[in-house]
């Protein structure tokens, strides 16, 4: 599931590029197609950044955080060394 979420932004971006490529290879000259393509590219770019951050943060909280000692324990050790 996380692999799909991480790839979703890039997939939206590629669909936007496909829409823009379709526009350039056809005789259609409509600004609406350009607007849709540009919107998909921007949304895909932002979704890629946002979803990767969310998925990575969730991974860190679930997998890495339990491996670290509790904050109180670290502070107690630091005070004991002082």
């Amino acid at each position: 599931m996380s692999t799909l979420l991480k790839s979703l932004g890039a997939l939206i971006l590629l669909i936007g590029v496909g829409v823009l490529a379709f526009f350039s290879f056809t005789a259609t000259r409509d600004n609406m197609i350009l607007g849709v393509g540009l919107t998909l590219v921007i949304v895909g770019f932002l979704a890629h950044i946002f979803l990767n951050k969310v998925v990575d943060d969730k991974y860190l909280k679930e997998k890495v955080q339990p491996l670290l000692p509790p904050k109180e324990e670290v502070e107690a050790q630091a005070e004991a060394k002082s």
Side-chain angles (χ1 to χ4, degrees):
M1 181 70 178
S2 66
T3 306
L4 177 64
L5 280 177
K6 288 181 92 168
S7 302
L8 185 63
L11 183 63
I12 294 171
L13 191 122
L14 287 175
I15 291 170
V17 170
V19 168
L20 293 174
F22 171 77
F23 174 80
S24 67
F25 290 124
T26 60
T28 307
R29 297 294 171 220
D30 186 17
N31 286 338
M32 184 65 164
I33 295 174
L34 286 175
V36 169
L38 178 64
T39 302
L40 286 172
V41 168
I42 292 172
V43 168
F45 178 69
L46 295 175
H48 179 71
I49 293 171
F50 178 74
L51 289 174
N52 278 324
K53 181 169 176 37
V54 168
V55 170
D56 287 344
D57 285 350
K58 184 178 177 185
Y59 174 79
L60 288 174
K61 286 180 183 175
E62 289 178 356
K63 304 290 184 192
V64 178
Q65 194 67 21
L67 300 176
L68 300 175
K71 185 178 178 181
E72 295 82 21
E73 183 179 320
V74 173
E75 290 173 351
Q77 289 176 355
E79 288 177 9
K81 288 182 182 179
S82 302

